[in-house]
């Protein structure tokens, strides 16, 4: 392992040493002057946002050929994405964490896509695979319950979709082949004419059995398809209406318990999302956004009942309405609104057990349950003078299960000059227990208390010069009434304190080469429920080269000293590792390009799912070295 880590480190030194002497071209780095909206729900420069926000651009998505949102955010400091196999599409319990917390709100154009009823991941981000339609992805790290409500303890992921350019029509067709009998096909068309705009997408993906870094074969199969349409009309003067429909349908095969298991479980997964959004500028100072949406998720796992994990046939549905107003004055920006959503489980059939622990197939106790949440929020960013600003905010939530709660917040910002910004924030949060935690058969607990707590964060953003910029945030989070599974069911386990650091540097080495360095550290309380997923340190290193028709990048992710269980000392040998990826893209002629990817260049043996087991037990191997080649036609 040490030889692989040393070789990987030497590789990046060699690449960067040769590349950094080159000069000149466009870069995918998102500068501090770029506009973000998620930190305060209003557009503002990233340097002025008084928050730890990372951005994945459409340019980066296109050049690195990310397959889904989970791949696109994997290198963001402070974010942990775990897949139980070669793809996040072959399991529905993949963890997603920000700053050590699994309580994360995921949104598309400001509308929630979280699910309520599954273990592990609370949003199906691997099924969000219309990457051609994404303008950028904003990742807000840190508690944000005042603006985004329950589940925003760790942060928010907001996927902003594209709006076609005026008077244009563009199409893109992509075909690729990859290791493990992989095939991918996608087609995308967008355009605008006389105020009417549209985007249409369709994707198809196939994948078979894969090998891990030790060359062990792992049961795996994927056959997924997705499609969607986005329609809108621009009335002028920043007034428009947008309709969006997205559908995903996937069939998969996975090992029953861990990648060493040779029992093949068959599964199906389908989701569909429909939304209508109206954006209006009422006058020069006042804007409004009204949204209504409905999300449905269906999971039918182990329907062949092959293993001991049991059948899960679960339908989840979320319906929501939100309305937001922004009023700008000379020195104040006031943001207020209402969020209402209902989570329900119309149907849940599963393998259950009688009093003698004999299995049978029937209706789960979760079936038919629902919960509604209504939130009212308001905050005011007050620019006291050219340097100081203060942003107080408060949210009032009424949860149908847990009554009324308030989530106040306060942020103070200091803009030292046009290149430097500092901030300190205090943000309170609460999370109501999920429907699964309340009613799961054989383990649900309807007497659970909601999780509560607060986060204090200090941060800075600085432009050292025209070619180098960086961000730094230090946070400490206190949480009470944590909910976890102990023994035979869910219970509240008490307090937890996490302390962490996120940092990033972006460097432009002339016009051809850019580099990114990301670092995150977390001192996780042993009471942290996600501790087995967390590394104490994580490094992300990226080098991008651009020259006329040729583009290439190398990315490395270093997991250093992952927290391990004292009951599984063998895992300590696998608590640190590096994974390196490479991709290249060459435009043969105008509109036609070929690309190639090499993932896990050094065939590293590792897992992203926990550190409580050993490689010969219940282990979830990531894929070993694998390849992809493809062609893309744009017209």
């Amino acid at each position: 392992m040490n030889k692989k880590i040393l070789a990987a480190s030497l590789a990046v030194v060699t690449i960067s040493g040769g590349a950094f002497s080159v000069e000149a071209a466009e870069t995918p780095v998102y500068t501090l002057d770029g506009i973000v909206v998620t930190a305060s729900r209003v557009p503002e420069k990233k340097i002025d946002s008084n928050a730890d926000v990372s951005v994945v651009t459409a340019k980066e998505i296109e050049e690195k050929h990310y397959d889904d949102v989970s791949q696109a955010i994997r290198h963001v400091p402070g974010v942990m994405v775990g897949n139980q196999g070669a793809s996040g599409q072959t399991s529905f319990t993949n963890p997603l964490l920000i700053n050590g917390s699994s309580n994360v709100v995921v949104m598309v154009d400001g509308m929630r896509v979280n699910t309520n009823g599954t273990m592990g991941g609370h949003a199906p981000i691997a099924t969000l695979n219309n990457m051609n339609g994404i303008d950028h992805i904003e990742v807000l790290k840190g508690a944000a319950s005042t603006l985004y409500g329950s589940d925003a303890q760790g942060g928010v992921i907001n996927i902003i979709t594209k709006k076609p350019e005026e008077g244009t029509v563009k199409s893109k067709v992509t075909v690729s082949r990859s290791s493990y009998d992989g095939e991918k096909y996608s087609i995308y068309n967008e355009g605008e004419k006389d105020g009417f705009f549209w985007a249409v997408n369709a994707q198809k993906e196939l994948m078979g059995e894969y090998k891990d870094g030790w060359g062990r074969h792992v049961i795996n199969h994927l056959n997924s398809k997705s499609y969607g349409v986005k329609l809108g009309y621009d009335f002028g003067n920043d007034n428009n209406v947008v309709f969006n429909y997205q559908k995903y349908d996937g069939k998969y095969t996975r090992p029953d318990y861990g990648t060493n298991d040779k029992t093949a479980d068959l599964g199906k997964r389908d989701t569909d999302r429909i939304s209508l959004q109206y954006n209006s500028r009422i006058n020069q100072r006042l804007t409004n956004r009204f949204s209504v949406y409905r999300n449905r998720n269906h999971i039918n796992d182990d329907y062949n009942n092959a293993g001991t994990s049991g059948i899960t046939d679960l339908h989840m549905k979320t319906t929501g309405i939100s309305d937001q107003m922004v009023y700008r004055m000379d020195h104040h920006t006031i943001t207020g609104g209402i969020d209402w959503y209902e989570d329900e489980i119309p149907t849940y059939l599963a393998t259950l057990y009688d009093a003698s622990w004999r299995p049978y197939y029937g209706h789960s106790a979760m079936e038919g349950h629902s919960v509604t949440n209504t939130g009212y929020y308001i905050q005011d960013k007050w620019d006291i003078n050219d340097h100081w600003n203060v942003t107080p905010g408060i949210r009032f939530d009424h949860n149908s299960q847990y009554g009324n709660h308030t989530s106040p917040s306060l942020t103070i910002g200091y803009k030292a000059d046009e290149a430097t910004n500092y901030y300190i924030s205090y943000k309170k949060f609460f999370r109501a227990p999920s429907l699964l935690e309340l009613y799961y058969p054989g383990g649900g607990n309807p007497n659970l208390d909601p999780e509560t707590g607060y986060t204090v964060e200090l941060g800075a953003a600085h432009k050292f010069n025209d070619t180098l910029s960086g961000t730094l945030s230090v946070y400490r989070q206190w949480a009470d009434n944590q909910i976890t599974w102990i023994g035979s069911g869910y219970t509240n386990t008490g307090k937890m304190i996490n302390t962490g650091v996120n940092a990033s540097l972006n460097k432009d080495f002339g016009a051809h080469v850019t580099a990114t360095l990301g670092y995150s550290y977390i001192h996780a309380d042993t009471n942290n429920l996600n501790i087995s997923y967390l590394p104490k340190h994580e490094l992300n290193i990226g080098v991008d080269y651009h020259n006329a028709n040729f583009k290439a990048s190398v990315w490395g992710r270093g997991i250093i000293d992952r927290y391990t269980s004292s009951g599984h000392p063998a895992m300590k040998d696998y608590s640190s590792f590096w994974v390196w990826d490479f991709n290249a893209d060459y435009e043969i002629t105008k509109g036609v390009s070929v690309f190639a990817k090499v993932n896990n260049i050094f065939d590293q043996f590792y897992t992203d799912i926990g550190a409580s087991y050993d490689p010969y037990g219940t282990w979830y191997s990531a894929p070993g070295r694998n390849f992809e080649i493809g062609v893309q036609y744009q017209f």
Side-chain angles (χ1 to χ4, degrees), residues 565 568 570-572 574 609-620:
S565 168
H568 299 272
M571 273 304 304
K572 199 68 179 176
Y574 307 95
I609 303 294
S612 299
Y613 309 103
D614 64 74
Y616 303 99
T618 308
W619 172 274
Y620 294 92

Side-chain angles (χ1 to χ4, degrees), residues 201-233:
N201 63 280
Q203 293 82 223
K204 172 79 173 178
E205 183 172 356
L206 301 169
M207 186 191 304
E209 182 179 274
Y210 73 91
K211 292 193 297 183
D212 65 17
W214 281 358
R216 303 186 301 187
H217 290 264
V218 178
I219 293 172
N220 185 78
H221 176 74
L222 175 66
N223 183 349
S224 71
K225 59 184 178 181
S226 56
Y227 53 87
V229 59
K230 178 178 179 179
L231 303 172
Y233 186 79

Side-chain angles (χ1 to χ4, degrees), residues 396-475:
F396 172 82
D397 280 294
H398 177 76
N399 184 279
S400 61
Q401 299 273 6
Y402 288 92
N404 302 331
H405 289 267
T406 56
S407 303
S409 64
L410 179 67
T411 301
I412 299 172
Y414 177 68
K415 188 76 174 288
D417 52 47
E418 289 303 310
T420 309
N421 189 62
Y422 303 98
Y423 67 90
I424 181 171
S425 65
Y426 165 87
K427 298 181 179 180
K428 195 173 179 180
F429 61 83
F430 108 97
R431 183 185 77 85
S434 71
L435 293 172
L436 178 122
E437 293 163 341
L438 291 170
Y439 305 113
Y440 186 68
N445 182 357
N447 297 314
L448 289 171
D449 292 322
E451 295 181 354
T452 59
Y454 62 92
T455 299
V456 174
E457 181 179 334
L458 292 87
H462 180 62
K463 294 185 287 185
F464 297 92
N465 53 46
D466 290 340
T467 66
L468 178 64
S469 64
T471 63
L472 173 69
S473 70
V474 181
Y475 63 89

